[in-house]
Protein backbone atom coordinates (compact mmCIF):
# COMPACT_ATOMS: atom_id res chain seq x y z
CA UNK A 1 0.00 0.00 0.00
CA UNK A 2 2.82 2.39 0.93
CA UNK A 3 4.51 1.79 -2.44
CA UNK A 4 1.38 2.80 -4.31
CA UNK A 5 1.47 6.13 -2.49
CA UNK A 6 5.15 6.73 -3.37
CA UNK A 7 4.67 6.40 -7.13
CA UNK A 8 2.21 9.33 -7.54
CA UNK A 9 4.11 11.39 -4.97
CA UNK A 10 7.37 10.85 -6.86
CA UNK A 11 5.72 11.82 -10.15
CA UNK A 12 4.36 15.03 -8.65
CA UNK A 13 7.72 15.95 -7.14
CA UNK A 14 9.59 15.30 -10.39
CA UNK A 15 7.09 17.34 -12.38
CA UNK A 16 7.32 20.29 -10.02
CA UNK A 17 11.13 20.27 -10.08
CA UNK A 18 11.25 20.58 -13.86
CA UNK A 19 9.04 23.67 -14.03
CA UNK A 20 10.72 27.04 -14.33
CA UNK A 21 9.56 29.70 -11.92
CA UNK A 22 6.97 32.06 -13.34
CA UNK A 23 7.82 35.76 -13.50
CA UNK A 24 6.81 37.51 -10.31
CA UNK A 25 6.99 34.40 -8.14
CA UNK A 26 9.04 34.17 -4.94
CA UNK A 27 11.50 31.83 -6.69
CA UNK A 28 11.86 34.43 -9.45
CA UNK A 29 14.29 36.46 -7.35
CA UNK A 30 16.61 33.46 -7.04
CA UNK A 31 17.10 33.25 -10.82
CA UNK A 32 16.51 36.82 -11.96
CA UNK A 33 18.65 39.94 -11.77
CA UNK A 34 16.32 42.94 -11.64
CA UNK A 35 17.39 46.31 -13.05
CA UNK A 36 15.37 49.43 -12.32
CA UNK A 37 17.92 52.24 -12.65
CA UNK A 38 20.34 53.41 -15.35
CA UNK A 39 23.38 51.13 -15.35
CA UNK A 40 25.44 48.56 -17.20
CA UNK A 41 24.80 44.87 -16.52
CA UNK A 42 27.69 42.55 -17.25
CA UNK A 43 26.86 38.88 -17.69
CA UNK A 44 29.60 36.33 -17.07
CA UNK A 45 28.37 32.78 -17.67
CA UNK A 46 28.90 30.09 -15.04
CA UNK A 47 27.56 26.62 -14.30
CA UNK A 48 25.26 25.06 -16.87
CA UNK A 49 25.49 28.05 -19.21
CA UNK A 50 29.30 27.86 -19.24
CA UNK A 51 29.15 24.11 -19.92
CA UNK A 52 26.71 24.70 -22.81
CA UNK A 53 29.03 27.32 -24.31
CA UNK A 54 31.98 24.97 -23.95
CA UNK A 55 30.07 22.26 -25.80
CA UNK A 56 28.95 24.70 -28.51
CA UNK A 57 32.39 26.24 -29.17
CA UNK A 58 34.44 23.11 -28.62
CA UNK A 59 36.69 22.25 -25.71
CA UNK A 60 39.89 22.81 -27.69
CA UNK A 61 39.40 26.53 -28.33
CA UNK A 62 37.19 27.34 -25.36
CA UNK A 63 39.80 28.43 -22.83
CA UNK A 64 41.23 31.00 -25.26
CA UNK A 65 37.76 32.27 -26.10
CA UNK A 66 36.88 32.59 -22.41
CA UNK A 67 40.12 34.47 -21.70
CA UNK A 68 39.54 36.94 -24.55
CA UNK A 69 35.94 37.59 -23.51
CA UNK A 70 36.82 38.09 -19.85
CA UNK A 71 39.65 40.52 -20.67
CA UNK A 72 37.32 42.40 -23.05
CA UNK A 73 34.71 42.68 -20.29
CA UNK A 74 37.36 44.12 -17.97
CA UNK A 75 38.45 46.73 -20.54
CA UNK A 76 34.81 47.62 -21.33
CA UNK A 77 34.08 47.93 -17.59
CA UNK A 78 36.97 50.33 -17.20
CA UNK A 79 35.64 52.48 -20.04
CA UNK A 80 32.12 52.54 -18.57
CA UNK A 81 33.44 53.32 -15.08
CA UNK A 82 35.44 56.24 -16.52
CA UNK A 83 32.12 57.62 -17.82
CA UNK A 84 30.51 57.30 -14.37
CA UNK A 85 28.21 54.42 -15.31
CA UNK A 86 27.07 52.24 -12.41
CA UNK A 87 28.11 48.67 -13.21
CA UNK A 88 26.59 45.42 -11.99
CA UNK A 89 28.03 42.00 -12.73
CA UNK A 90 25.93 38.85 -12.62
CA UNK A 91 25.93 35.22 -13.64
CA UNK A 92 22.14 34.90 -13.21
CA UNK A 93 20.63 33.86 -16.51
CA UNK A 94 17.44 35.92 -16.32
CA UNK A 95 17.41 39.71 -16.50
CA UNK A 96 14.37 41.83 -15.73
CA UNK A 97 14.48 45.47 -16.82
CA UNK A 98 11.80 47.46 -15.00
CA UNK A 99 10.52 50.26 -17.19
CA UNK A 100 8.69 53.20 -15.66
CA UNK A 101 5.11 53.33 -16.93
CA UNK A 102 5.52 50.11 -18.85
CA UNK A 103 5.79 46.37 -18.72
CA UNK A 104 9.04 44.88 -17.51
CA UNK A 105 11.32 43.48 -20.18
CA UNK A 106 12.68 39.99 -19.55
CA UNK A 107 15.81 38.59 -21.19
CA UNK A 108 16.62 34.88 -20.89
CA UNK A 109 20.39 34.55 -21.18
CA UNK A 110 20.12 30.77 -21.43
CA UNK A 111 19.31 31.28 -25.10
CA UNK A 112 22.14 30.15 -27.36
CA UNK A 113 22.66 33.64 -28.82
CA UNK A 114 24.00 34.93 -25.50
CA UNK A 115 27.49 34.32 -24.10
CA UNK A 116 29.51 37.06 -22.37
CA UNK A 117 27.34 40.16 -22.53
CA UNK A 118 26.95 43.78 -21.50
CA UNK A 119 23.54 45.44 -21.44
CA UNK A 120 23.35 49.22 -21.12
CA UNK A 121 20.10 50.53 -19.64
CA UNK A 122 19.26 54.22 -19.42
CA UNK A 123 16.22 53.67 -17.14
CA UNK A 124 13.50 53.77 -19.80
CA UNK A 125 13.00 52.02 -23.10
CA UNK A 126 14.84 48.89 -24.09
CA UNK A 127 18.36 48.09 -22.93
CA UNK A 128 21.14 48.13 -25.50
CA UNK A 129 23.06 44.87 -25.95
CA UNK A 130 26.58 46.17 -26.36
CA UNK A 131 28.97 44.98 -29.01
CA UNK A 132 31.91 44.08 -26.76
CA UNK A 133 34.36 45.20 -29.44
CA UNK A 134 32.72 48.66 -29.69
CA UNK A 135 31.70 49.67 -26.18
CA UNK A 136 32.04 53.36 -27.01
CA UNK A 137 29.47 53.06 -29.81
CA UNK A 138 27.09 51.10 -27.60
CA UNK A 139 27.52 53.71 -24.86
CA UNK A 140 26.56 56.50 -27.27
CA UNK A 141 23.60 54.48 -28.60
CA UNK A 142 22.29 53.72 -25.11
CA UNK A 143 21.81 57.34 -24.13
CA UNK A 144 23.46 56.85 -20.74
CA UNK A 145 24.79 60.02 -19.21
Amino acid sequence: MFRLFLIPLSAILLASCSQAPSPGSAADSLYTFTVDKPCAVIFRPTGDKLRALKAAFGEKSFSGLMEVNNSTLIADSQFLASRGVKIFSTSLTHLKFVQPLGEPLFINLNHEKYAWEIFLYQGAGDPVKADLTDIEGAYRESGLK
Side-chain angles (χ1 to χ4, degrees):
M1 181 70 170
F2 184 69
R3 284 187 214 168
L4 291 176
F5 176 73
L6 286 178
I7 292 172
L9 179 64
S10 299
I12 291 170
L13 288 174
L14 286 173
S16 67
C17 289
S18 65
Q19 294 176 351
S22 61
S25 71
D28 187 35
S29 63
L30 295 175
Y31 304 102
T32 304
F33 187 82
T34 302
V35 180
D36 60 358
K37 293 179 174 52
C39 67
V41 178
I42 297 175
F43 173 69
R44 286 185 171 88
T46 60
D48 290 340
K49 178 66 179 182
L50 196 61
R51 284 187 283 282
L53 289 169
K54 191 175 196 177
F57 290 111
E59 194 165 330
K60 189 174 184 178
S61 63
F62 187 73
S63 62
L65 177 67
M66 187 167 73
E67 188 176 314
V68 166
N69 279 299
N70 283 328
S71 64
T72 303
L73 287 178
I74 290 169
D76 290 354
S77 296
Q78 290 171 343
F79 169 80
L80 292 169
S82 75
R83 298 296 191 265
V85 175
K86 187 152 187 99
I87 300 169
F88 295 99
S89 185
T90 186
S91 61
L92 296 176
T93 55
H94 293 85
L95 300 179
K96 176 182 174 184
F97 291 92
V98 179
Q99 301 177 349
L101 307 175
E103 290 291 318
L105 173 71
F106 292 91
I107 298 177
N108 181 354
L109 297 170
N110 278 321
H111 191 279
E112 63 190 25
K113 70 179 178 180
Y114 298 112
W116 290 263
E117 305 294 344
I118 296 178
F119 293 92
L120 303 173
Y121 184 57
Q122 55 117 347
D126 291 341
V128 171
K129 181 182 171 291
D131 175 351
L132 299 183
T133 62
D134 183 20
I135 194 64
E136 293 179 33
Y139 173 75
R140 283 190 303 275
E141 180 186 339
S142 74
L144 280 169
K145 305 261 181 214

